[in-house]
Amino acid sequence: MTPAELSSTVLHAVRRAVDAGELDVTVPARAVVAPPGPGGCGDYATNIALQLARPAGQPPYRVAEVLRPYLVGIDGVADVVLTGPGFLNISLGGAAPAALVEEILSAGTRYGHADAPDAPDAPDAPDAPDGSVVRLHCPHDLRAVVVADAVARVLRCQGALVRVTAEGFDREWTAALDVRVDGVGPAPASPPVTVRPVPAPADPLPLGRDAARWALLHPAAHDRPRIGDEHLAQREGNPLFRVRYAHARSRALTRNAADLGFAAAPGPLPDASQELLAALGDHPRVLAAAAAHRAPDRIARHLVAVADAALPFLPTVLPRGGEKPSAAHRARLALAEAAGTVLAGGLTLLGIDAPDHL
């Protein structure tokens, strides 16, 4: 069962409880399913009971108790445990990691996108439920324009229609950093979302497109970015290097495996990094949060977390010595490819290249 399928299963449980008269609520359009937080357990957790408590007129824990029997016993669900104020922690058994990897590889770099593949500007996304346009406006400042450009990319991946305007724009910014705006001049008549991060203390253009964009996007909007050669360093102390290196290593493993005569195949992963699986499963939530809060820095920090979880795992993928490729190696390779896919997709949303070779 994939996270998307589990989300539908949770909503179906709510609907069954409503039909049985145990809950008097409107079934929501979406149930958030994510890796368990501190104190949680299992493969995934949902806060649906907390979401429904007020309209149901019941404590969250009681709502969770009502929903639990409708989830236990469903095909693919091994157990459901209640924790905290009313979180439902769901165990899917050994198939859960394989299902997550398969979902990522099937979606490719669009994993976590909320829009349909043939409708990149679908108007039914949360930010544009009626087909209206999300209007972003920024001052004549390079960091503001880069942040607005990244916010627009993230919003579009979540199905929103976006228009970016700026009070001023230098043409060299397009050539140097691949940023564009839809209009230049005063703020539009309809109230826009103002994008006004702390300006960069120095000109980032000498860093080149990728390092400059990272330097401007990795810090939160209220933090002053550091503009220096540390963003170009090819060493572990540079977060951008770690992210791109982890991606390149995952692609190299695919090539090396082909030389050994085997390919990736999602399967049971009893020895896989739980930290890596949790980070990959959290990717859709991070994208949605980055869009909702207009904060591409959340994606940058998430990519660092994915890379840091992936790098210790990658050396375990290929057979060693005279060992022959097995189903376990194919499953580990699939997880490595899934990690590389998430890293590539996230970097693309930030407007940064994800090279296969470093």
Side-chain angles (χ1 to χ4, degrees):
M1 185 182 297
T2 67
E5 291 170 340
L6 182 57
S7 177
S8 298
T9 298
V10 171
L11 291 178
H12 183 62
V14 175
R15 190 171 296 107
R16 290 173 61 197
V18 170
D19 291 342
E22 295 191 65
L23 288 177
D24 183 13
V25 296
T26 299
V27 180
R30 181 168 176 259
V32 176
V33 172
C41 58
D43 297 301
Y44 295 102
T46 177
N47 66 348
I48 190 70
L50 284 73
Q51 179 183 341
L52 297 177
R54 178 172 292 181
Q58 301 185 46
Y61 200 88
R62 173 55 187 156
V63 175
E65 288 179 324
V66 169
L67 293 176
R68 183 180 181 277
Y70 291 100
L71 288 168
V72 174
I74 290 177
D75 287 344
V77 175
D79 193 16
V80 180
V81 176
L82 308 188
T83 59
F87 290 102
L88 289 154
N89 296 260
I90 305 170
S91 297
L92 300 181
L100 173 61
V101 170
E102 187 172 1
E103 180 185 9
I104 294 172
L105 296 181
S106 176
T109 55
R110 295 178 67 82
Y111 168 64
H113 290 210
D115 55 316
D118 57 347
D121 287 327
D124 57 349
D127 285 287
D130 57 357
S132 60
V133 176
V134 179
R135 300 184 183 277
L136 305 176
H137 185 74
C138 53
H140 184 196
D141 171 73
L142 177 55
R143 188 185 184 200
V145 171
V146 171
V147 171
D149 174 79
V151 170
R153 292 170 187 248
V154 178
L155 282 167
R156 289 179 182 125
C157 94
Q158 295 300 298
L161 297 163
V162 188
R163 179 175 173 81
V164 180
T165 57
E167 294 174 9
F169 186 81
D170 295 350
R171 290 184 177 180
E172 67 172 335
W173 294 350
T174 296
L177 299 185
D178 192 26
V179 291
R180 295 174 176 80
V181 297
D182 301 303
V184 178
S190 59
V193 175
T194 301
V195 179
R196 194 182 295 273
V198 174
D203 181 10
L205 295 184
L207 295 176
R209 186 190 68 177
D210 293 336
R213 289 186 70 106
W214 181 269
L216 298 175
L217 294 173
H218 181 253
H222 58 267
D223 291 332
R224 185 175 297 278
R226 298 176 61 184
I227 307 298
D229 291 343
E230 66 269 19
H231 297 293
L232 300 174
Q234 302 292 296
R235 57 175 180 262
E236 291 186 358
N238 177 4
L240 174 59
F241 171 75
R242 295 204 305 277
V243 170
R244 300 176 89 188
Y245 178 69
H247 170 265
R249 285 286 297 124
S250 73
R251 297 303 181 237
L253 288 172
T254 299
R255 296 191 298 269
N256 295 339
D259 292 339
L260 294 174
F262 75 100
L269 289 158
D271 58 346
S273 165
Q274 294 303 310
E275 183 182 2
L276 176 56
L277 288 167
L280 297 180
D282 203 29
H283 188 64
R285 184 198 63 80
V286 172
L287 296 189
H293 296 279
R294 319 299 193 240
D297 57 283
R298 295 187 179 211
I299 298 176
R301 291 194 296 274
H302 175 64
L303 295 181
V304 175
V306 172
D308 288 346
L311 285 170
F313 167 75
L314 297 180
T316 70
V317 171
L318 297 179
R320 298 183 179 182
E323 190 179 11
K324 293 184 178 180
S326 65
H329 293 112
R330 290 189 286 272
R332 288 198 289 266
L333 178 61
L335 177 56
E337 290 185 357
T341 297
V342 167
L343 293 172
L347 286 172
T348 299
L349 286 175
L350 298 179
I352 298 172
D353 280 343
D356 289 350
H357 302 269
L358 279 184

Short mmCIF file of all heavy atoms in Angstrom, two decimals, residues 96-135:
data_model
loop_
_atom_site.label_atom_id
_atom_site.label_comp_id
_atom_site.label_asym_id
_atom_site.label_seq_id
_atom_site.Cartn_x
_atom_site.Cartn_y
_atom_site.Cartn_z
N ALA A 96 5.56 -2.23 3.11
CA ALA A 96 5.48 -0.78 3.09
C ALA A 96 6.69 -0.11 2.41
O ALA A 96 6.51 0.74 1.53
CB ALA A 96 5.29 -0.25 4.51
N PRO A 97 7.94 -0.44 2.81
CA PRO A 97 9.07 0.21 2.14
C PRO A 97 9.10 -0.06 0.65
O PRO A 97 9.39 0.83 -0.14
CB PRO A 97 10.29 -0.41 2.85
CG PRO A 97 9.77 -0.85 4.18
CD PRO A 97 8.37 -1.30 3.92
N ALA A 98 8.80 -1.29 0.24
CA ALA A 98 8.81 -1.61 -1.18
C ALA A 98 7.75 -0.81 -1.92
O ALA A 98 7.99 -0.34 -3.04
CB ALA A 98 8.57 -3.12 -1.38
N ALA A 99 6.58 -0.62 -1.31
CA ALA A 99 5.52 0.15 -1.95
C ALA A 99 5.93 1.62 -2.10
O ALA A 99 5.64 2.25 -3.13
CB ALA A 99 4.23 0.05 -1.14
N LEU A 100 6.60 2.16 -1.08
CA LEU A 100 7.07 3.54 -1.16
C LEU A 100 8.08 3.70 -2.29
O LEU A 100 7.99 4.64 -3.10
CB LEU A 100 7.69 3.95 0.17
CG LEU A 100 8.38 5.32 0.19
CD1 LEU A 100 7.39 6.44 -0.11
CD2 LEU A 100 9.07 5.55 1.54
N VAL A 101 9.05 2.79 -2.35
CA VAL A 101 10.07 2.86 -3.41
C VAL A 101 9.42 2.74 -4.78
O VAL A 101 9.76 3.48 -5.72
CB VAL A 101 11.12 1.74 -3.20
CG1 VAL A 101 12.05 1.63 -4.41
CG2 VAL A 101 11.93 2.01 -1.94
N GLU A 102 8.48 1.82 -4.92
CA GLU A 102 7.80 1.64 -6.20
C GLU A 102 7.03 2.90 -6.59
O GLU A 102 7.02 3.30 -7.76
CB GLU A 102 6.86 0.45 -6.12
CG GLU A 102 6.23 0.06 -7.46
CD GLU A 102 5.46 -1.23 -7.39
OE1 GLU A 102 5.39 -1.82 -6.29
OE2 GLU A 102 4.93 -1.65 -8.43
N GLU A 103 6.40 3.53 -5.61
CA GLU A 103 5.66 4.76 -5.89
C GLU A 103 6.59 5.86 -6.39
O GLU A 103 6.29 6.58 -7.35
CB GLU A 103 4.91 5.23 -4.65
CG GLU A 103 4.12 6.52 -4.87
CD GLU A 103 3.48 7.05 -3.61
OE1 GLU A 103 3.79 6.54 -2.51
OE2 GLU A 103 2.67 7.99 -3.70
N ILE A 104 7.75 6.00 -5.74
CA ILE A 104 8.70 7.05 -6.14
C ILE A 104 9.23 6.80 -7.54
O ILE A 104 9.27 7.70 -8.38
CB ILE A 104 9.86 7.12 -5.12
CG1 ILE A 104 9.34 7.59 -3.76
CG2 ILE A 104 10.95 8.07 -5.62
CD1 ILE A 104 10.37 7.50 -2.65
N LEU A 105 9.63 5.56 -7.82
CA LEU A 105 10.19 5.25 -9.13
C LEU A 105 9.13 5.38 -10.22
O LEU A 105 9.44 5.75 -11.36
CB LEU A 105 10.78 3.84 -9.12
CG LEU A 105 11.97 3.63 -8.17
CD1 LEU A 105 12.49 2.20 -8.28
CD2 LEU A 105 13.09 4.62 -8.47
N SER A 106 7.88 5.09 -9.90
CA SER A 106 6.81 5.22 -10.88
C SER A 106 6.53 6.69 -11.20
O SER A 106 6.34 7.07 -12.36
CB SER A 106 5.54 4.55 -10.36
OG SER A 106 4.46 4.76 -11.25
N ALA A 107 6.54 7.53 -10.17
CA ALA A 107 6.26 8.96 -10.38
C ALA A 107 7.47 9.70 -10.93
O ALA A 107 7.32 10.75 -11.57
CB ALA A 107 5.81 9.59 -9.07
N GLY A 108 8.67 9.20 -10.68
CA GLY A 108 9.87 9.90 -11.13
C GLY A 108 10.06 11.19 -10.36
O GLY A 108 9.68 11.31 -9.20
N THR A 109 10.64 12.18 -11.00
CA THR A 109 10.92 13.45 -10.33
C THR A 109 9.66 14.22 -9.99
O THR A 109 9.72 15.24 -9.31
CB THR A 109 11.84 14.33 -11.20
OG1 THR A 109 11.25 14.50 -12.49
CG2 THR A 109 13.22 13.70 -11.35
N ARG A 110 8.50 13.73 -10.44
CA ARG A 110 7.23 14.37 -10.08
C ARG A 110 6.64 13.77 -8.80
O ARG A 110 5.51 14.11 -8.43
CB ARG A 110 6.24 14.24 -11.23
CG ARG A 110 6.67 15.00 -12.48
CD ARG A 110 5.68 14.80 -13.62
NE ARG A 110 4.40 15.41 -13.30
CZ ARG A 110 4.12 16.71 -13.47
NH1 ARG A 110 5.04 17.52 -13.93
NH2 ARG A 110 2.93 17.18 -13.17
N TYR A 111 7.37 12.90 -8.14
CA TYR A 111 6.90 12.35 -6.87
C TYR A 111 6.66 13.50 -5.88
O TYR A 111 7.53 14.34 -5.67
CB TYR A 111 7.94 11.38 -6.31
CG TYR A 111 7.70 10.96 -4.87
CD1 TYR A 111 6.56 10.23 -4.52
CD2 TYR A 111 8.61 11.29 -3.87
CE1 TYR A 111 6.35 9.85 -3.20
CE2 TYR A 111 8.41 10.90 -2.56
CZ TYR A 111 7.26 10.19 -2.22
OH TYR A 111 7.05 9.81 -0.92
N GLY A 112 5.49 13.52 -5.30
CA GLY A 112 5.13 14.59 -4.37
C GLY A 112 4.37 15.73 -5.00
O GLY A 112 3.85 16.59 -4.30
N HIS A 113 4.29 15.74 -6.35
CA HIS A 113 3.52 16.78 -7.02
C HIS A 113 2.04 16.47 -6.86
O HIS A 113 1.62 15.31 -6.92
CB HIS A 113 3.88 16.86 -8.50
CG HIS A 113 5.25 17.39 -8.75
ND1 HIS A 113 5.59 18.10 -9.88
CD2 HIS A 113 6.39 17.33 -8.01
CE1 HIS A 113 6.87 18.45 -9.83
NE2 HIS A 113 7.37 17.98 -8.71
N ALA A 114 1.25 17.51 -6.68
CA ALA A 114 -0.18 17.31 -6.45
C ALA A 114 -0.99 17.38 -7.72
O ALA A 114 -2.15 17.01 -7.74
CB ALA A 114 -0.70 18.35 -5.46
N ASP A 115 -0.40 17.87 -8.81
CA ASP A 115 -1.16 18.06 -10.04
C ASP A 115 -1.07 16.82 -10.91
O ASP A 115 -0.19 15.99 -10.78
CB ASP A 115 -0.63 19.27 -10.83
CG ASP A 115 0.87 19.15 -11.11
OD1 ASP A 115 1.62 18.78 -10.20
OD2 ASP A 115 1.28 19.44 -12.22
N ALA A 116 -2.00 16.69 -11.83
CA ALA A 116 -1.99 15.59 -12.79
C ALA A 116 -0.89 15.80 -13.80
O ALA A 116 -0.56 16.94 -14.14
CB ALA A 116 -3.34 15.49 -13.50
N PRO A 117 -0.29 14.72 -14.34
CA PRO A 117 0.81 14.86 -15.28
C PRO A 117 0.46 15.68 -16.51
O PRO A 117 1.32 16.34 -17.07
CB PRO A 117 1.13 13.40 -15.67
CG PRO A 117 0.64 12.60 -14.51
CD PRO A 117 -0.57 13.32 -14.00
N ASP A 118 -0.80 15.66 -16.94
CA ASP A 118 -1.17 16.39 -18.15
C ASP A 118 -1.81 17.72 -17.83
O ASP A 118 -2.37 18.37 -18.70
CB ASP A 118 -2.14 15.56 -19.01
CG ASP A 118 -3.39 15.18 -18.24
OD1 ASP A 118 -3.39 15.34 -17.00
OD2 ASP A 118 -4.35 14.71 -18.88
N ALA A 119 -1.76 18.15 -16.55
CA ALA A 119 -2.38 19.43 -16.19
C ALA A 119 -1.53 20.14 -15.16
O ALA A 119 -1.87 20.24 -13.99
CB ALA A 119 -3.78 19.20 -15.64
N PRO A 120 -0.36 20.67 -15.58
CA PRO A 120 0.56 21.25 -14.62
C PRO A 120 0.02 22.47 -13.91
O PRO A 120 0.54 22.86 -12.88
CB PRO A 120 1.79 21.62 -15.48
CG PRO A 120 1.27 21.69 -16.87
CD PRO A 120 0.17 20.70 -16.95
N ASP A 121 -1.01 23.10 -14.42
CA ASP A 121 -1.59 24.26 -13.75
C ASP A 121 -3.02 23.97 -13.34
O ASP A 121 -3.90 24.80 -13.47
CB ASP A 121 -1.55 25.50 -14.67
CG ASP A 121 -0.13 26.04 -14.80
OD1 ASP A 121 0.61 25.95 -13.82
OD2 ASP A 121 0.21 26.55 -15.88
N ALA A 122 -3.28 22.75 -12.85
CA ALA A 122 -4.64 22.37 -12.46
C ALA A 122 -5.20 23.35 -11.45
O ALA A 122 -4.57 23.61 -10.43
CB ALA A 122 -4.62 20.96 -11.87
N PRO A 123 -6.38 23.94 -11.72
CA PRO A 123 -6.90 24.98 -10.85
C PRO A 123 -7.54 24.47 -9.57
O PRO A 123 -7.99 25.26 -8.76
CB PRO A 123 -7.95 25.66 -11.74
CG PRO A 123 -8.43 24.58 -12.64
CD PRO A 123 -7.22 23.73 -12.90
N ASP A 124 -7.61 23.15 -9.38
CA ASP A 124 -8.30 22.65 -8.21
C ASP A 124 -7.36 22.37 -7.05
O ASP A 124 -7.70 21.65 -6.13
CB ASP A 124 -9.08 21.37 -8.56
CG ASP A 124 -8.18 20.29 -9.13
OD1 ASP A 124 -7.03 20.62 -9.45
OD2 ASP A 124 -8.63 19.15 -9.25
N ALA A 125 -6.16 22.91 -7.10
CA ALA A 125 -5.22 22.75 -6.00
C ALA A 125 -5.64 23.66 -4.85
O ALA A 125 -6.37 24.63 -5.04
CB ALA A 125 -3.80 23.09 -6.46
N PRO A 126 -5.15 23.37 -3.63
CA PRO A 126 -5.57 24.16 -2.48
C PRO A 126 -5.32 25.65 -2.62
O PRO A 126 -6.07 26.46 -2.09
CB PRO A 126 -4.71 23.57 -1.34
CG PRO A 126 -4.41 22.19 -1.77
CD PRO A 126 -4.29 22.25 -3.26
N ASP A 127 -4.24 26.05 -3.33
CA ASP A 127 -3.94 27.47 -3.45
C ASP A 127 -4.81 28.17 -4.48
O ASP A 127 -4.79 29.39 -4.57
CB ASP A 127 -2.46 27.67 -3.82
CG ASP A 127 -1.55 27.42 -2.62
OD1 ASP A 127 -1.53 28.26 -1.72
OD2 ASP A 127 -0.90 26.36 -2.62
N ALA A 128 -5.52 27.44 -5.29
CA ALA A 128 -6.36 28.07 -6.32
C ALA A 128 -7.62 27.24 -6.53
O ALA A 128 -7.85 26.71 -7.59
CB ALA A 128 -5.58 28.21 -7.62
N PRO A 129 -8.45 27.12 -5.48
CA PRO A 129 -9.61 26.23 -5.59
C PRO A 129 -10.62 26.68 -6.62
O PRO A 129 -11.41 25.88 -7.10
CB PRO A 129 -10.19 26.28 -4.17
CG PRO A 129 -9.71 27.56 -3.59
CD PRO A 129 -8.35 27.77 -4.19
N ASP A 130 -10.62 27.96 -6.95
CA ASP A 130 -11.61 28.45 -7.90
C ASP A 130 -10.98 28.87 -9.22
O ASP A 130 -11.58 29.57 -10.01
CB ASP A 130 -12.37 29.64 -7.30
CG ASP A 130 -11.42 30.78 -6.90
OD1 ASP A 130 -10.20 30.59 -7.03
OD2 ASP A 130 -11.92 31.83 -6.46
N GLY A 131 -9.76 28.44 -9.46
CA GLY A 131 -9.10 28.81 -10.70
C GLY A 131 -8.43 30.17 -10.64
O GLY A 131 -7.90 30.64 -11.65
N SER A 132 -8.44 30.83 -9.47
CA SER A 132 -7.80 32.14 -9.35
C SER A 132 -6.29 31.99 -9.38
O SER A 132 -5.75 30.91 -9.20
CB SER A 132 -8.24 32.82 -8.05
OG SER A 132 -7.87 32.03 -6.94
N VAL A 133 -5.62 33.10 -9.60
CA VAL A 133 -4.17 33.11 -9.74
C VAL A 133 -3.53 33.55 -8.43
O VAL A 133 -3.96 34.53 -7.81
CB VAL A 133 -3.75 34.05 -10.89
CG1 VAL A 133 -2.23 34.13 -10.98
CG2 VAL A 133 -4.34 33.57 -12.20
N VAL A 134 -2.50 32.83 -8.01
CA VAL A 134 -1.68 33.26 -6.87
C VAL A 134 -0.70 34.30 -7.40
O VAL A 134 0.12 34.00 -8.28
CB VAL A 134 -0.92 32.08 -6.24
CG1 VAL A 134 -0.06 32.57 -5.08
CG2 VAL A 134 -1.90 31.02 -5.76
N ARG A 135 -0.79 35.51 -6.89
CA ARG A 135 0.05 36.61 -7.39
C ARG A 135 1.18 36.87 -6.39
O ARG A 135 0.94 37.19 -5.23
CB ARG A 135 -0.80 37.87 -7.59
CG ARG A 135 -1.92 37.66 -8.61
CD ARG A 135 -2.71 38.94 -8.88
NE ARG A 135 -3.80 38.67 -9.80
CZ ARG A 135 -3.68 38.64 -11.12
NH1 ARG A 135 -2.49 38.85 -11.66
NH2 ARG A 135 -4.72 38.39 -11.88
#
